[in-house]
Amino acid sequence: MAWGVALWSLATFLTPWAADSSLWALLAARAMVGVAEGVALPCMNNMVARWFPPTERSRAVGIAMAGFQLGNVVGLMLSPILMSQGGIYGPFVIFGLSGFLWLLVWLSATSSAPDRHPQITKSELEYIKQKKQISTMENKRISTSGIPPFGRLLSKMPTWAVIVANSMHSWGFFVILSWMPIYFNSVYHVNLKQAAWFSAVPWSMMAFTGYIAGFWSDLLIRRGTSITLTRKIMQSIGFIGPGIALIGLTTAKQPLVASAWLSLAVGLKSFSHLGFLINLQEIAPEYSGVLHGMCLTAGTLAAIVGTVGAGFFVELLGSFQGFILLTAILYLLSALFYNIYATGERVDFDTTAA
């Protein structure tokens, strides 16, 4: 995590100078950002699995992802201001330096596992060890496994359930993040600074509802609801809700109404973090980081297709609404696929039977 943040902060800081140098230098800088950012969510998932017992993991993921969404809010709101004051260099320099400041806190406050933390109390360490439900054999496998069994991982439908869910999540996330300011500008004719504000509000909603979803998910499990049913409830809200809200967005005539529909879509989308995202730790605790990496690869490809495809789609048809409807339909189909094949129980990856 530390090396990832350091690398993407440096690449972000250097991006304007790379752009002044050449197109290839710019592409290299942005590729470096992507490579470095790829470690963030797998590392987070692995850390949550090590530090938090099952009855607290949903809230942990909810809080962590709330920070993820608040970063979008800050970025969308500050970038136009920083660009107006410092030119194109402003956002890249400030956000790059901020990453290094965060890195200092991370290095001084964290460790890879609870028993390695120099400041953890004995009572907290005992509490974590008592509550965690990972066997000695699993811990051994986590620490001694060599090349992950990719074939066996891909032979199970619960694996494909989380891969498909992550792909759809990334498709929707990056389409909304990349295109909504332009959508508000072109459809409702608001300037880009106002469009950034309209686009930032939904991410604030997502940060808030993500924590609520995490609290509710843990509450369901503590009260006896099966983990499988809990994950499917969260995933259904997180995909069916945005699908319906995006359909509503295509009918909006005013920017405030459109922002309300978009806020509802993005806010409900946060429930999916307590579906597929935390589900990775449950079906494959010994391979959660590897499986998350596989999901991110599929998700990145989906994000590229969705973001680039949106541009071609709008250019060919001259309308955003058709692509938004397509995204809504994909949300609904992905929710159906997850509900059919997902499980909250640990999957046996020692055999290749489906």
Side-chain angles (χ1 to χ4, degrees), residues 6 27 40 173 193 200 244 259 271 278 310:
L27 293 175
F173 180 90
K193 185 177 291 187
I244 295 173
S259 184
F271 279 77
I278 199 168

Side-chain angles (χ1 to χ4, degrees), residues 62-294:
I63 293 171
M65 295 306 294
F68 192 81
Q69 313 314 330
L70 289 174
N72 293 329
V73 175
V74 172
L76 284 166
M77 292 193 300
L78 281 186
S79 290
I81 298 173
L82 293 173
M83 289 177 66
S84 65
Q85 299 296 319
I88 194 65
Y89 286 71
F92 295 98
V93 171
I94 296 300
F95 295 154
L97 292 177
S98 298
F100 284 108
L101 291 176
W102 179 90
L103 186 61
L104 295 177
V105 178
W106 173 262
L107 291 174
S108 63
T110 62
S111 66
S112 297
D115 56 3
R116 298 180 185 176
H117 199 286
Q119 299 174 344
I120 193 170
T121 63
K122 183 178 179 180
S123 59
E124 182 182 4
L125 183 58
E126 290 178 351
Y127 172 81
I128 294 173
K129 288 182 176 180
Q130 289 173 359
K131 291 288 186 178
K132 283 178 65 176
Q133 297 177 351
I134 300 179
S135 69
T136 304
M137 178 59 69
E138 285 175 345
N139 283 326
K140 182 179 179 181
R141 291 175 65 182
I142 291 173
S143 61
T144 62
S145 58
I147 299 175
F150 293 108
R152 293 201 299 271
L153 288 171
L154 293 173
S155 71
K156 308 292 185 176
M157 290 310 296
T159 299
W160 287 103
V162 295
I163 288 176
V164 169
N166 189 84
S167 299
M168 187 60 236
H169 176 78
S170 296
W171 174 296
F173 180 90
F174 285 102
V175 164
I176 292 173
L177 182 65
S178 302
W179 284 100
M180 284 305 100
I182 300 174
Y183 177 79
F184 277 95
N185 176 253
S186 62
V187 175
Y188 302 108
H189 308 294
V190 297
N191 63 51
L192 287 177
K193 185 177 291 187
Q194 292 174 320
W197 281 88
F198 278 116
S199 302
V201 171
W203 301 111
S204 301
M205 178 68 72
M206 191 175 192
F208 174 74
T209 56
Y211 178 75
I212 299 300
F215 179 83
W216 183 27
S217 179
D218 281 340
L219 184 64
L220 287 174
I221 293 173
R222 288 200 304 271
R223 290 186 174 180
T225 305
S226 71
I227 294 178
T228 297
L229 180 57
T230 299
R231 299 300 169 233
K232 290 183 177 182
I233 290 172
M234 296 295 117
Q235 192 65 42
S236 296
I237 297 173
F239 272 12
I240 296 175
I244 295 173
L246 287 178
I247 294 173
L249 173 62
T250 63
T251 67
K253 304 300 182 183
Q254 300 294 328
L256 285 176
V257 177
S259 184
W261 277 116
L262 188 60
S263 297
L264 182 62
V266 174
L268 292 177
K269 181 178 170 64
S270 66
F271 279 77
S272 68
H273 297 153
L274 291 315
F276 80 91
L277 185 57
I278 199 168
N279 196 202
L280 296 166
Q281 306 165 13
E282 295 158 347
I283 66 172
E286 69 272 41
Y287 302 120
S288 61
V290 173
L291 187 55
H292 201 156
M294 293 166 63

